[in-house]
């Protein structure tokens, strides 16, 4: 499910979608690696879908920064979509984030 917070979004759908992502964050708090690894195992090579990218966007696993790099460097994204995923890095800490930022800086 991809959130659509545009002007034509039904208010109840916007609230429901935001609630789903908030529940995901609360449920996985301090357990992101375990839950995210399980989801990646289940998703396999099919993680890079609109819904999968939004799970990556919300996740705080150690694997998240590397996947965000894959998403952010996807040439098919609009600049608005790229900014959306780039913003997620603001909420991640650790050496994996530093490595991802370095990769983004040197990949151009």
């Amino acid at each position: 499910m991809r959130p659509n917070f545009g002007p034509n979004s039904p208010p109840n759908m916007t609230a429901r979608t935001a609630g789903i992502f908030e529940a995901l964050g609360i449920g996985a708090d301090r357990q992101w690696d375990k839950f995210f690894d399980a989801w990646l195992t289940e998703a396999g090579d099919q993680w890079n879908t609109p819904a999968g990218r939004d799970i990556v966007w919300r996740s705080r696993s150690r694997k998240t920064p590397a996947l965000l790099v894959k998403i952010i460097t996807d040439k098919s994204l609009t600049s608005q979509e790229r900014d959306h995923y780039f913003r997620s890095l603001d909420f991640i800490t650790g050496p994996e984030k530093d490595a991802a930022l370095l990769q983004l800086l040197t990949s151009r």
Side-chain angles (χ1 to χ4, degrees), residues 12-26:
N12 62 337
M13 178 57 100
T14 301
R16 252 193 322 242
T17 303
I20 289 169
F21 284 110
E22 185 62 21
L24 176 64
I26 292 169

Side-chain angles (χ1 to χ4, degrees), residues 13 29 35 50-51 72 74 78:
M13 178 57 100
D29 188 38
F35 287 112
I72 291 166
D74 181 343
T78 66

Side-chain angles (χ1 to χ4, degrees), residues 52-98:
R53 287 189 297 267
D54 281 340
I55 290 171
V56 173
W57 171 82
R58 181 57 181 96
S59 71
R60 303 296 179 258
S61 165
R62 282 183 243 157
K63 292 182 180 177
T64 300
L67 293 176
L68 284 169
V69 168
K70 289 181 180 185
I71 295 169
I72 291 166
T73 57
D74 181 343
K75 303 284 188 219
S76 69
L77 291 182
T78 66
S79 61
Q80 184 178 8
E81 289 171 318
R82 188 169 292 107
D83 290 348
H84 168 75
Y85 294 110
F86 205 98
R87 174 82 168 104
S88 181
L89 289 167
D90 286 345
F91 302 97
I92 298 172
T93 60
E96 296 83 6
K97 174 186 175 176
D98 297 340

